[in-house]
Amino acid sequence: MWHPGDPHVSLYPSGGGESIGGIYLSGALPPGDFSHVVRVAKTYSQNGDRITVDEVRGPSDRWAEGNTYEVTGSYVLATHDQAALAAYVTTPASNPETPHGDLPEQTMRITKGEGQFTLRFHMWQAGEPHVSFYPSGSDGSFGGVYF
């Protein structure tokens, strides 16, 4: 389902005129309810790498299964040439994680240096949310911040 203003690619005749077709893009950041601040100001720093979570927003001021959250902040990647920066929820061993896919905006590729991030994650079940660095070609993180 599309809504006016959604990102899309349209085809137009070279001579101008009305659109002759197009496609709406999936994977674009969907609208969501991020009206409440859940957490602010958490930082991880080690060996020159740093992740600072400035703010976490969601549909309420508490964590709840079934909600989607948006995390904003900054990073410095010093120990690797490239990595993934991702937001996940670690579940306790007593409550193994139910398999599910990642949101398109849950992970971003980064290169050595610094930058800003906005990531979104869905809390499929209770656990501890975090933003972490992951080396290319590996599942194990090399640093992160729980919030």
Side-chain angles (χ1 to χ4, degrees), residues 34-40 54-62:
F34 305 112
S35 57
H36 292 81
V37 174
V38 182
R39 294 279 191 277
V40 293
D54 294 327
E55 189 172 72
V56 182
R57 299 185 72 88
S60 73
D61 62 354
R62 300 183 195 285

Side-chain angles (χ1 to χ4, degrees), residues 7-140:
H8 64 280
V9 175
S10 294
L11 303 171
Y12 293 90
S14 61
E18 296 292 315
S19 169
I20 57 173
I23 186 168
Y24 280 80
L25 305 174
S26 64
L29 289 178
D33 179 2
F34 305 112
S35 57
H36 292 81
V37 174
V38 182
R39 294 279 191 277
V40 293
K42 295 279 190 165
T43 299
Y44 158 85
S45 184
Q46 187 173 347
N47 300 324
D49 291 333
R50 186 180 75 238
I51 300 171
T52 300
V53 171
D54 294 327
E55 189 172 72
V56 182
R57 299 185 72 88
S60 73
D61 62 354
R62 300 183 195 285
W63 299 120
E65 292 179 46
N67 286 344
T68 299
Y69 298 90
E70 183 173 82
V71 186
T72 58
S74 61
Y75 66 88
V76 175
L77 179 62
T79 60
H80 292 71
D81 290 332
Q82 59 184 355
L85 185 67
Y88 287 112
V89 178
T90 298
T91 58
S94 61
N95 187 20
E97 185 172 342
T98 303
H100 56 78
D102 291 347
L103 300 177
E105 56 276 3
Q106 192 165 338
T107 302
M108 62 185 283
R109 304 292 311 158
I110 59 173
T111 56
K112 186 176 274 191
E114 57 187 86
Q116 304 289 315
F117 66 84
T118 299
L119 300 169
R120 290 185 181 174
F121 68 93
H122 188 78
M123 186 168 275
W124 296 97
Q125 61 194 79
E128 298 180 50
H130 59 96
V131 173
S132 298
F133 290 120
Y134 294 88
S136 297
S138 174
D139 288 335

